[in-house]
Amino acid sequence: EVVMTGDKNWDRQTSQALPDVEVTHFHLLRHGQVDTGGTRRVYGHLDLPLSPEGRRQAESLLSFCEDVLPAADGILSSDLRRCMDIAEPLAERLGLPLHVHPELREQFMGEWEGRSWSELTDADVEGVRAYWSDYAHQAPPGGESFQDLIDRVGSFLREQMPRLRGRRWLIVGHTGVVRAMVCRMMNTAASDGLRYAPLPGTHTWL
């Protein structure tokens, strides 16, 4: 006898031995390149638009979701425009419900937001060095550390999991959110978060 479970067909003995045969799929979609005026800038929660290249990346990602990915049950998205510019047309094209959550915003960078990295380094090189020496636990003034972001995303997932589990979801978010979800799901230390480097307009499947 074969047991049908999600994308897997298990024989009866295997299904009885497994602690859980339910599979939840998260397709993490990072937004395209952001228009920062040609300067490496800290933007966190700032609602900056996509650059022309970012719009091309978004269109490519939309086509990928339409043509390649299996049918999903719904879309979750950050409420920032650079994500909504993908999430809204994706929901329309695929005919899927869209759930918008501020909890999926990028890491909040506090007083650093809107400033260029070169400006910050000139003004407070020790503070910038301290941040990058322990980005997992060091927060910019008034902002979040990467561990704070992992905790925020983790709380969101715990609250939402009864609705999400056993289904397939497209999640439109930011590089920090992708890293946070990978660390959370793979039980990876926050200090290893920068090992995951999703490029703009890319797909990560958990």
Side-chain angles (χ1 to χ4, degrees):
E1 183 178 359
V2 175
V3 180
M4 307 290 290
T5 307
D7 296 333
K8 298 291 186 182
N9 300 335
W10 305 107
D11 60 56
R12 176 63 62 184
Q13 290 76 17
T14 301
S15 68
Q16 289 175 339
L18 291 173
D20 190 350
V21 296
E22 183 178 67
V23 180
T24 304
H25 298 269
F26 292 139
H27 295 277
L28 311 179
L29 310 174
R30 185 190 170 188
H31 61 75
Q33 183 185 86
V34 173
D35 186 357
T36 61
T39 302
R40 288 187 64 249
R41 192 173 302 281
V42 183
Y43 49 90
H45 284 197
L46 292 183
D47 209 6
L48 299 180
L50 295 175
S51 68
E53 175 61 20
R55 290 193 292 273
R56 287 190 289 271
Q57 292 166 340
E59 183 58 39
S60 177
L61 195 56
L62 289 168
S63 297
F64 171 80
C65 292
E66 282 187 291
D67 300 337
V68 178
L69 292 187
D73 294 290
I75 302 168
L76 310 176
S77 179
S78 160
D79 63 337
L80 296 179
R81 176 51 46 187
R82 55 190 184 269
C83 292
M84 294 297 289
D85 282 346
I86 297 174
E88 288 177 334
L90 190 59
E92 182 176 350
R93 292 190 193 186
L94 299 182
L96 293 174
L98 171 59
H99 308 274
V100 181
H101 298 278
E103 295 90 340
L104 293 175
R105 285 186 178 189
E106 182 59 282
Q107 180 179 343
F108 181 50
M109 299 298 282
E111 296 175 14
W112 288 3
E113 297 212 345
R115 302 175 69 184
S116 70
W117 281 107
S118 60
E119 174 191 352
L120 284 170
T121 302
D122 288 342
D124 184 13
V125 66
E126 292 302 325
V128 172
R129 183 179 293 125
Y131 172 74
W132 286 115
S133 295
D134 186 19
Y135 71 92
H137 304 103
Q138 183 78 24
E144 293 178 304
S145 68
F146 181 57
Q147 183 63 61
D148 291 333
L149 176 61
I150 291 176
D151 293 342
R152 165 159 55 91
V153 171
S155 295
F156 170 79
L157 289 174
R158 282 195 301 274
E159 293 170 0
Q160 297 292 320
M161 194 54 73
R163 177 167 64 92
L164 302 180
R165 63 180 301 158
R167 305 171 74 187
R168 187 181 300 272
W169 297 90
L170 307 178
I171 302 180
V172 186
H174 311 266
T175 184
V177 171
V178 174
R179 285 174 174 149
M181 290 192 69
V182 170
C183 285
R184 186 83 184 179
M185 296 298 178
M186 301 295 289
N187 197 28
T188 301
S191 56
D192 286 332
L194 289 185
R195 293 179 183 271
Y196 308 113
L199 296 173
T202 56
H203 163 248
T204 301
W205 184 1
L206 295 176

